Amino acid sequence: MFEARDLTVGYGGAAIVRGLSLALAAGERATLTGPSGSGKTTALRALAALDPPIEGAITLDGRAPAAHGYPEWRRRVVYVAQRATLFGGTLEDELARPFRYRSARAPFERAAARAALDAVGVAHALDADASHLSEGERQRLALVRAVLVAPDVLLLDEPTSALDADTTRAVEAWLGALSPAILWVTHDPAQRDRVAQRSLHLGARRG
Amino acid sequence: MVIEAWRLSLSAGFVLAAGAVSLGLRLGLEKTLAVASLRTVVQLLAVGYVLSWIFALDSPWLVALLAALMIAAASRAAVQRSARRFAGATTGAFATLAITGVATTLGATTVVIGVEPWWKAQYVVPLLGMVLGNGLTGMSLCLDEITRSLDEGRARVETELALGASKWEAARDPLREAVRRGMIPMINTMMVVGIVSLPGMMTGQILEGADPLLAVRYQIVIMFMLAGATAFGCMLLALVAYARLFDEAHRLRPDRLITR
C-alpha cells in the first residue's frame, strides 16, 4: 500500500499543494487532475521523495522513505517527468542505466527491453543512437526505462503529452497490463476515464 | 646581473609602445594599460619589500601567518572567478588549498629539496605561491563546472535519482568531469613545458646565471608539486561541493546554489 497523509508541499516554505491525502493499493490506478499551476508535478515529485514535504507523511508498506532508504524508495516509487531526459548513448544504454545502481534488484534483460519498446511502438534497434529519437519516442523510451526498473508505484506526469492518438492508446494498453500501481497526471477527461478507476483533483491555488 | 633603476625604467618603453599602438588604433586601452602598469610596479615593489623583511626576520610564525593570508586570498579568488557558488564554498576552498598547499610545499622543502630549516621563508613562500596560483586556477574551473552541471544539468541528475540512483551515483559523472576540467590547464602546461615556453621560475634562475640543468631539476619538482596539488585540490573541492549540494535524503539541493 502506497499512502500520502495530509501532504503539504511547495518551495521556499510557500505551499503549492495543501493537505493531499491518497492511498493506492498494489496495482491500483488513479489519475491526478487539476488546472495548470495547481501543483500536480510538485505533488508527484514530493511523492517520489525528490522534494521534502512541508508537512505530512508518505509511506510504502507502512514505512517512510528514510526507513526504506531513499534510493530504494525511488526505485520502488518511480517518478517519470513529462519531458524525458536522456543520458546519451544507445537505446540500450538508456534502458540499462538504472541497472548500474546499487538499488537495482535484477540484471538488465535485453529481451524484456525489446518487448517493451515494441509494445509502445518504438521500432529502433537497441543499439541505435538515442539522440536521434523524436520527442514522442523519447517520452516512450523514458516510460519503458522506468517500467523496467520494476517499481511498485509509477508516478506519471502527462506520459502521453507528446504522442498521437493511436500511440497514446497503445501506451495506455501497455501500461494497463502492467503490475505497478499508477498515479497518472492527465489533462484529458477521456484519458482519465480510460486509464483509472478513480481520480483525484487538485484545485486551483489560492493566493 | 643586477638591473639598475635606470635600466628598469627603460623597460617602461615596452608599455609605452603598447600604449602608442592603442592610441593609434583607437583601442581605448591606454588608461587601463596605465593603471595595470602602475599596479604591477606598486604590487611587485610592495611584495619585494615584504619578502625582504620576512626573509630577514626568518620567523616560522611569520611564515605561517603569511601562508594563511596567501591561502585566504587564493581561496577567495578561486570562488569569485566561478559564475555560481554555494554557501561554504570559500571555506571549503580555503581548507582544500590549505591541505594541498601546505602538504605539497612542506613535502618539497623537507623531502625533495631538503631545506634547513624546513619552514625557510625563502623557499616556502615562493613555492606555496606557485602551488596556490595553479591550484586556484584549477579549482575555480572545477567549481565552475560542478556548479554549472548541477544547475543546468539538474534534470539529468534528478532523473538518475528518480530511477533509484544514490546521490553518489547521480553525482559521479558531473564530479568526474569537473575534476577533469580543473586538471586540463595543468596537464596542457606539463605537455608543452620546455618546448613552447620556459616556466617563469626556471627563466629567472637561468637569467640569474644558474646552471640550466640545476634549474631544470627545480622545475621538475615544481611541476610535479603543482600537478599533485591541483589534482588533490580539485578532488577535495568537488567533494565539498558534493557534500553541500546534495542532502542526506539523496536529493539535489539547487536552492543552495548562488548565481551571480
Side-chain angles (χ1 to χ4, degrees), chain B residues 130-147:
Chain B
M130 276 190 280
V131 172
L132 294 180
N134 278 270
L136 88 86
T137 303
M139 281 168 54
S140 65
L141 287 171
C142 175
L143 184 67
D144 207 41
E145 172 61 21
I146 189 93
T147 51

Side-chain angles (χ1 to χ4, degrees), chain A residues 170-188:
Chain A
V171 168
E172 286 174 2
W174 174 66
L175 285 170
L178 298 175
S179 59
I182 299 178
L183 183 61
W184 183 315
V185 166
T186 180
H187 281 290
D188 177 3

Side-chain angles (χ1 to χ4, degrees), chain A residues 45 49-53 70-72 74-75 77-79 85-88 97-98 100-103 145-146 149, chain B residues 153-167 169-170 172-173 176 247-253:
Chain A
R45 287 178 54 90
L50 284 168
D51 292 318
Y70 286 89
E72 173 65 9
R74 297 192 193 111
R75 187 198 63 77
V77 182
V78 173
Y79 162 67
T85 298
L86 302 187
F87 300 111
R97 193 166 179 100
R100 304 185 342 189
Y101 308 147
R102 281 172 59 99
S103 65
R145 186 172 62 191
V149 168
Chain B
R154 179 181 168 182
R156 181 188 169 96
V157 173
E158 290 199 323
T159 300
E160 302 236 44
L161 293 172
L163 288 163
S166 68
K167 58 180 175 176
E169 287 165 330
R172 199 166 38 194
D173 283 354
R176 195 183 285 145
D247 67 13
E248 66 288 347
H250 295 261
R251 285 187 294 247
L252 179 62
R253 297 299 299 267

Side-chain angles (χ1 to χ4, degrees), chain B:
Chain B
M1 199 169 96
V2 176
I3 303 180
E4 295 93 346
W6 69 272
R7 288 183 196 270
L8 189 60
S9 55
L10 276 184
S11 68
F14 295 120
V15 180
L16 290 175
V21 169
S22 170
L23 268 178
L25 296 178
R26 296 186 186 172
L27 301 179
L29 285 173
E30 314 84 59
K31 203 175 153 194
T32 318
L33 197 61
V35 171
S37 306
L38 200 65
R39 281 188 65 151
T40 302
V41 172
V42 172
Q43 286 165 199
L44 287 179
L45 279 179
V47 81
Y49 281 114
V50 169
L51 288 179
S52 309
W53 177 64
I54 288 169
F55 291 178
L57 284 178
D58 220 16
S59 152
W61 300 111
L62 206 54
V63 174
L65 178 68
L66 185 64
L69 289 174
M70 288 165 72
I71 293 167
S75 48
R76 226 181 134 219
V79 174
Q80 277 185 336
R81 282 188 197 179
S82 172
R84 301 173 187 79
R85 59 199 163 85
F86 51 87
T90 309
T91 314
F94 182 88
T96 302
L97 281 171
I99 293 166
T100 54
V102 171
T104 45
T105 303
L106 296 188
T109 58
T110 54
V111 182
V112 185
I113 309 176
V115 180
E116 274 295 330
W118 54 266
W119 47 263
K120 202 166 176 55
Q122 191 191 336
Y123 286 84
V124 168
V125 174
L127 287 177
L128 181 64
M130 276 190 280
V131 172
L132 294 180
N134 278 270
L136 88 86
T137 303
M139 281 168 54
S140 65
L141 287 171
C142 175
L143 184 67
D144 207 41
E145 172 61 21
I146 189 93
T147 51
R148 186 201 63 76
S149 63
L150 293 183
D151 189 11
E152 294 174 10
R154 179 181 168 182
R156 181 188 169 96
V157 173
E158 290 199 323
T159 300
E160 302 236 44
L161 293 172
L163 288 163
S166 68
K167 58 180 175 176
W168 177 251
E169 287 165 330
R172 199 166 38 194
D173 283 354
L175 290 178
R176 195 183 285 145
E177 179 57 23
V179 173
R180 208 184 65 80
R181 282 279 171 91
M183 283 296 292
I184 285 176
M186 189 65 229
I187 288 172
N188 286 345
T189 306
M190 291 174 84
M191 288 292 188
V192 299
V193 69
I195 302 172
V196 177
S197 69
L198 292 181
M201 194 201 76
M202 196 174 130
T203 310
Q205 279 184 305
I206 293 172
L207 288 176
E208 276 286 304
D211 176 2
L213 287 176
L214 188 67
V216 160
R217 287 190 185 198
Y218 271 97
Q219 196 55 51
I220 291 173
V221 171
I222 296 211
M223 296 308 288
F224 287 178
M225 270 176 70
L226 297 182
T230 306
F232 277 104
C234 289
M235 271 190 271
L236 285 177
L237 189 64
L239 289 177
V240 170
Y242 165 71
R244 288 291 306 162
L245 296 174
F246 287 84
D247 67 13
E248 66 288 347
H250 295 261
R251 285 187 294 247
L252 179 62
R253 297 299 299 267
D255 53 312
R256 292 179 182 168
L257 272 176
I258 304 157
T259 307
R260 280 183 228 289

Side-chain angles (χ1 to χ4, degrees), chain A residues 86-98:
Chain A
L86 302 187
F87 300 111
T90 64
L91 273 73
E92 180 166 345
D93 292 335
E94 297 293 343
L95 298 177
R97 193 166 179 100

Side-chain angles (χ1 to χ4, degrees), chain A residues 68-191:
Chain A
H68 286 272
Y70 286 89
E72 173 65 9
W73 173 277
R74 297 192 193 111
R75 187 198 63 77
R76 294 185 62 184
V77 182
V78 173
Y79 162 67
V80 184
Q82 182 181 359
R83 200 177 157 77
T85 298
L86 302 187
F87 300 111
T90 64
L91 273 73
E92 180 166 345
D93 292 335
E94 297 293 343
L95 298 177
R97 193 166 179 100
F99 292 85
R100 304 185 342 189
Y101 308 147
R102 281 172 59 99
S103 65
R105 284 292 163 267
F108 174 71
E109 285 179 29
R110 279 180 67 102
R114 181 70 266 164
L117 288 176
D118 289 340
V120 296
V122 176
H124 300 281
L126 277 169
D127 55 5
D129 184 353
S131 65
H132 302 306
L133 299 186
S134 71
E135 192 61 34
E137 287 171 325
R138 290 163 64 95
Q139 196 170 34
R140 282 173 283 164
L141 186 67
L143 259 182
V144 168
R145 186 172 62 191
V147 166
L148 290 179
V149 168
D152 296 275
V153 182
L154 275 170
L155 305 169
L156 307 180
D157 199 348
E158 300 192 47
T160 58
S161 60
L163 308 183
D164 60 60
D166 288 345
T167 315
T168 295
R169 293 300 180 95
V171 168
E172 286 174 2
W174 174 66
L175 285 170
L178 298 175
S179 59
I182 299 178
L183 183 61
W184 183 315
V185 166
T186 180
H187 281 290
D188 177 3
Q191 184 172 57

